[in-house]
Amino acid sequence: MAIDATRAVGELVAEKISRASVFDRFGLDYCCHGQVALDEACRRKGVAVGEVVAAIAADDAAPPAEDEPDYASMPLTELADRIVSTHHALLRRELPRLHELLSRVVNAHADRHPELREVATTYAAFREELDSHQSKEEQVLFPMIRELEAATSSPSFHCGSVENPVRVMMHEHDSAGAAIARMRELTGDFATPPDGCTTYQALMAGLAAVEHDLHRHVHKENNILFPRAVALEASLAGV
């Protein structure tokens, strides 16, 4: 199937999740700015759209991963549960671990690498926001989505509409995306300097892994779960 470069990058990844690896390779944002057309995203990044289209075609031609489900057609409740059990669980495990590693690296290396102090400040805000963000999703938004999927008529929510918490969550996604991008910039793409110790290496690898997972996490919410929930609410309301 030919790739239409005027389609939104988030839509292209929602159609086939393995394409996320292609966008990651070219540094194209398919999660927080998933509404941007592919040709425009390539222009902003300074990469050739033809090269990206060819890479997507090669990925599409590869055998599919047997354990990769079709998130776009998955029931909303199942998708929300999967996000909690995979992406939220990873962050709850990794964020405290990386905090400890970062504290040790700052103590040992910040005199020679002063940028680490800004990394630590950025990370602290990033971690605090994600901890609060996940709690709001699990305690407020995801229960609303489950209620919508089980309903036969439009439910009455305390916040008026599911669109209101969705809007807040997407804003927080933008903030988290900007923070991890800033940490990547400060560390030279999460590179360990020649004088870095094994703890430094572990920290950089851990931050890169969190970024990789966060892109997929936000994509599933911004480009699949949230739009489908908003559309379902509108359908139940007869809009």
Side-chain angles (χ1 to χ4, degrees):
M1 181 178 65
I3 299 299
D4 180 356
T6 65
R7 291 179 66 193
V9 290
E11 180 184 336
L12 290 167
V13 178
E15 190 172 76
K16 195 168 187 288
I17 191 67
S18 66
R19 291 171 178 168
S21 62
V22 175
F23 286 84
D24 283 340
R25 191 160 74 245
F26 286 97
L28 298 172
D29 181 358
Y30 56 87
C31 50
C32 293
H33 296 95
Q35 77 283 359
V36 177
L38 174 60
D39 53 4
E40 175 62 14
C42 290
R43 187 191 66 78
R44 293 180 185 179
K45 193 67 179 177
V47 299
V49 65
E51 189 177 350
V52 176
V53 167
I56 293 171
D59 177 82
D60 287 356
E66 294 182 1
D67 58 349
E68 194 67 70
D70 180 5
Y71 297 107
S73 61
M74 184 178 289
L76 297 183
T77 294
E78 183 180 350
L79 179 53
D81 290 346
R82 277 179 175 264
I83 288 169
V84 172
S85 65
T86 56
H87 302 297
H88 286 199
L90 181 143
L91 287 172
R92 288 203 166 100
R93 180 179 69 248
E94 287 298 287
L95 291 179
R97 184 181 76 87
L98 294 178
H99 170 78
E100 293 301 321
L101 291 178
L102 181 54
S103 297
R104 288 157 56 189
V105 169
V106 167
N107 288 337
H109 295 276
D111 287 345
R112 294 185 304 279
H113 300 282
E115 71 279 0
L116 287 169
R117 295 190 177 93
E118 186 178 345
V119 173
T121 300
T122 305
Y123 182 84
F126 173 76
R127 179 187 178 189
E128 182 179 4
E129 181 167 53
L130 281 178
D131 284 344
S132 170
H133 177 87
Q134 293 188 138
S135 294
K136 284 182 282 190
E137 286 188 336
E138 293 174 17
Q139 296 171 21
V140 179
L141 179 54
F142 288 2
M144 290 173 66
I145 291 174
R146 295 184 186 100
E147 185 175 348
L148 277 171
E149 190 164 54
T152 55
S153 61
S154 184
S156 176
F157 295 126
H158 70 284
C159 57
S161 167
V162 75
E163 288 188 77
N164 294 322
V166 160
R167 191 177 301 112
V168 173
M169 295 301 98
M170 292 182 70
H171 174 74
E172 292 180 358
H173 287 165
D174 289 346
S175 178
I180 197 73
R182 179 57 179 158
M183 287 185 276
R184 173 178 280 280
E185 179 184 16
L186 287 165
T187 58
D189 294 332
F190 302 123
T192 303
D195 61 344
C197 61
T198 54
T199 302
Y200 207 133
Q201 292 175 340
L203 172 64
M204 294 299 103
L207 288 172
V210 163
E211 180 192 54
H212 177 84
D213 188 77
L214 189 67
H215 287 169
R216 283 149 180 76
H217 177 180
V218 172
H219 161 70
K220 290 172 190 174
E221 293 183 355
N222 279 16
N223 300 322
I224 302 176
L225 182 65
F226 294 169
R228 288 181 59 197
V230 169
L232 176 57
E233 183 181 48
S235 175
L236 290 169
V239 176

